[in-house]
């Protein structure tokens, strides 16, 4: 198996990526890892590896970085030698079977569309994000921001893709699929969600109707579908509110010697909370849904362990033929006359 | 001044309401408080008050309760003798200058529309909710769920109303008004938000463009406007995620004797967090925006102190002529030919 890794994606790049790729090469001796980034920064960190491990890592030179500040509309074309663009080309040319990046999500989506294209029959690709739940497992929300304006058939295909992921890569039998809405009754929502409801109800999916955010966070469903405007705002509300709450708690714990001592003693509790809700290592990398290649996206805050688990997920996806299952599900979701020959 | 109070709105009704109205009658000897609810449940609790205080509280009998389980579509007409409906009628008939309720928000809106109607020239009333921010003061988000489907001119009028509130009842000079969106660039958003942007940009409001949830929670703006579908989902995401985080923290703090002791010592920190972010007493009651009468809505979880502060806010609104200012601002926002004679 050949897996490409963007060496420049995390906020602390390339250290977490280097740690992860060294560990991966030790752990999976059958595989080859293509580490994409500026050769001069990466090569020295691999020199001390024992030869057999070293040989499982191929450096692929990419002089540029598509950073978190870059915008696809402005910077895509002038960074065609970025680690992200080069990684996508490795996929396209069959040099790698999966590409893992912790870089700019909008950039990854734009490069994937430009260089790989979308799957046959798919109207729009989607960003999927894991959402922590009270059950201690993730729910999957899509679209989290790829398409601010959606039609009902987009939402329907997002549901199809989310269900394939939940079933084949998360091992959920008959994954429960829901539409995000402002109430549970079928009369709630908007014309868009009501039309999507009709499509989902007629489908083979295990569609359970509307859910509100409460049911999403309680973990009552596996896949929650919404348009990319709402999904993006939900994602950013989650991030901003989590930050606000944890900052406020930290400020409170620094108030006095008493609270500082309390914080010290209560440390395992904060670790418990962080691991169950906030830890990107637990949250994990997820595939970019619907592009013509296996691209796994993680978070810029990932540490080496989280990058390694992103590589592990990409390996599982390759091994299980996830991409082909997704292609088939998209084809099966189409009216007969729209299917590829 | 005559202020009506729904005795049956809080989850723990009528105790918090009784405590609040007794305290209010002591504190504001010029005013009369109309306590609306089942007379037999309320009267005994007022008997022990000294005569001068007792006389400032008028019981107004209402045998029914519009509960949190009731739905406006189904239950409005059969509960026309609920404390909520009776309170609205007191407003309509000029018996009270403001009505304060902690009950079912959808019910309050429906009764207000049915019995009071909306302000002249206003397209749609809105639910406004306070959002805690890192600056330790609230931002105000509307519409939080009254109108799942909005047109740009609705959003514009929501902004007008939010700004009047922020300026006249929260003392913010030149309140900053923003549209909620999935990015800050004017090209982001949807056709709805882009059209609203045009209207807001041409207005007299201090419009600062789009904000993402991050800027909302950082307190960079005073008023954030969105459609009632998105706003409702943001509100419910806030509630559900706050619950998930605090539950997870509590579970972590109960893990061992060490963490339990830590929790005990750190108690002031949790109180600090709760007060600055989660406490409905700090969050406060807010007016139902755009109905033809001064209706203040609080949260079912309010305790007596929070109900009392709801009464205080209603008094301030009456004293400052808030309703008239809102009416004038709505008229001023209209094209000349649509203004009331």
């Amino acid at each position: 198996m050949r897996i490409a890794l963007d060496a420049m994606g995390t906020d602390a790049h390339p250290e977490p990526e280097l740690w992860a790729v060294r560990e991966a090469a030790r752990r999976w001796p059958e595989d080859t890892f293509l580490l994409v980034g500026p050769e001069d920064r990466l090569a020295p960190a691999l020199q001390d590896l024992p030869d057999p491990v070293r040989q499982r890592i191929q450096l692929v030179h990419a002089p540029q970085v598509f950073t978190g500040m870059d915008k696809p509309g402005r910077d895509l074309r002038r960074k065609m030698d970025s680690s992200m663009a080069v990684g996508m080309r490795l996929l396209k040319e069959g040099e790698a079977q999966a590409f893992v990046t912790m870089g700019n999500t909008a950039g990854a989506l734009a490069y994937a569309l430009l260089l790989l294209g979308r799957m046959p029959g798919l109207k729009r690709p989607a960003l999927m994000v894991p959402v922590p739940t009270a059950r201690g497992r993730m729910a999957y929300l899509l679209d989290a921001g790829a398409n601010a304006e959606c039609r009902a058939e987009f939402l329907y295909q997002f549901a199809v893709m989310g269900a394939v992921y939940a079933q084949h890569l998360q091992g959920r039998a008959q994954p429960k699929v829901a539409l995000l809405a402002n109430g549970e009754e079928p009369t709630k929502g908007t014309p868009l969600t009501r039309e999507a409801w009709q499509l989902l109800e007629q489908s083979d999916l295990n569609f359970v109707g509307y859910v509100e955010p409460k049911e999403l966070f309680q973990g009552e469903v596996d896949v929650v579908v919404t348009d990319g405007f709402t999904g993006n705002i939900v994602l950013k509300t989650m991030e901003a509110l989590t930050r606000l709450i944890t900052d406020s708690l930290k400020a409170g714990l620094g108030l006095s010697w008493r609270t500082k001592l309390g914080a010290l003693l209560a440390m395992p509790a904060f670790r418990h909370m962080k691991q169950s809700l906030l830890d990107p290592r637990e949250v994990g990398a997820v595939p970019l849904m619907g592009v013509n290649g296996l691209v796994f996206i993680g978070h810029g805050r990932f540490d080496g362990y989280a990058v390694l688990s992103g590589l592990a997920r990409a390996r599982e996806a390759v091994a299980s033929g996830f991409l082909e299952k997704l292609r088939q599900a998209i084809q099966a979701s189409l009216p007969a006359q729209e299917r590829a020959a």
Side-chain angles (χ1 to χ4, degrees), chain A:
Chain A
M1 210 178 281
R2 295 169 64 85
I3 311 282
L5 173 65
D6 181 351
M8 309 302 281
T10 64
D11 299 345
H13 66 259
E15 276 67 30
E17 286 88 347
L18 283 166
W19 184 89
V21 81
R22 290 163 62 118
E23 189 60 29
R26 276 196 199 96
R27 199 172 279 200
W28 298 299
E30 315 281 298
D31 298 349
T32 301
F33 297 93
L34 293 84
L35 186 66
V36 189
E39 207 162 359
D40 54 333
R41 277 189 73 179
L42 304 174
L46 303 173
Q47 275 169 354
D48 63 331
L49 286 170
D51 260 2
V53 176
R54 173 71 194 81
Q55 282 158 12
R56 278 173 229 135
I57 305 175
Q58 285 182 19
L59 276 186
V60 180
H61 182 58
Q64 294 179 303
V65 179
F66 195 89
T67 72
M69 297 289 106
D70 287 328
K71 304 268 181 197
R74 192 184 61 197
D75 306 305
L76 205 69
R77 294 283 174 180
R78 65 177 193 85
K79 294 214 168 168
M80 293 303 286
D81 291 321
S82 61
S83 53
M84 208 175 249
V86 171
M88 299 285 178
R89 280 204 294 268
L90 291 174
L91 267 192
K92 186 186 169 73
E93 291 157 7
E95 292 291 311
Q97 290 148 289
F99 175 50
V100 179
T101 177
M102 269 53 65
N104 186 321
T105 304
L109 178 64
Y111 279 121
L113 283 174
L114 181 70
L115 297 169
L116 307 171
R118 57 179 185 241
M119 287 188 166
L122 184 74
K123 315 285 182 198
R124 292 288 185 284
L127 293 178
M128 185 172 74
V129 291
V131 175
T133 77
R135 295 209 181 173
R137 64 183 202 180
M138 295 292 151
Y140 296 89
L141 177 75
L142 68 175
D143 174 20
N147 315 279
E149 293 161 53
C150 284
R151 294 207 310 264
E153 63 263 40
F154 303 176
L155 268 54
Y156 167 51
Q157 289 192 325
F158 299 163
V160 168
M161 293 194 291
V164 170
Y165 175 79
Q167 185 176 345
H168 294 289
L169 285 185
Q170 293 295 328
R172 315 254 175 111
Q174 290 272 78
K176 285 186 184 171
V177 176
L179 282 165
L180 188 65
N182 56 336
E184 301 210 350
E185 308 88 340
T187 52
K188 293 279 183 169
T190 63
L192 173 69
T193 62
R194 289 191 289 271
E195 197 186 335
W197 177 303
Q198 297 302 321
L199 293 176
L200 287 164
E201 203 172 33
Q202 292 157 19
S203 76
D204 296 335
L205 295 167
N206 184 10
F207 174 62
V208 298
Y210 287 151
V211 288
E212 297 186 73
K214 188 174 152 194
E215 287 76 38
L216 165 58
F217 289 102
Q218 284 178 344
E220 293 182 9
V221 290
D222 300 292
V223 176
V224 174
V225 172
T226 189
D227 65 273
F229 178 81
T230 309
N232 192 255
I233 287 176
V234 167
L235 170 65
K236 288 172 177 168
T237 296
M238 284 169 51
E239 291 177 344
L241 183 63
T242 302
R243 177 76 187 270
L244 181 68
I245 294 176
T246 51
D247 281 358
S248 168
L249 184 60
K250 271 182 212 158
L253 290 171
L255 282 176
S256 68
W257 287 108
R258 178 187 153 172
T259 54
K260 282 178 193 167
L261 178 60
L264 207 63
L265 290 167
M267 198 54 77
F270 302 128
R271 210 154 31 216
H272 168 268
M273 177 172 79
K274 203 178 157 203
Q275 275 173 6
S276 61
L277 298 183
L278 315 170
D279 197 330
R281 293 191 285 186
E282 307 297 323
V283 169
V286 288
L288 205 48
M289 301 294 270
V291 299
N292 236 334
L294 207 46
V295 180
F296 273 75
I297 311 261
H299 202 287
R301 287 196 305 268
F302 273 23
D303 62 8
Y305 182 87
V307 175
L308 181 66
S309 91
L311 290 171
R313 303 239 168 136
R315 291 182 74 256
E316 289 160 22
V318 173
S320 71
F322 171 70
L323 212 57
E324 191 46 38
K325 288 192 175 104
L326 202 57
R327 280 200 189 100
Q328 287 167 4
I330 289 166
Q331 285 298 316
S333 77
L334 296 172
Q337 67 277 16
E338 287 183 36
R339 284 180 203 161

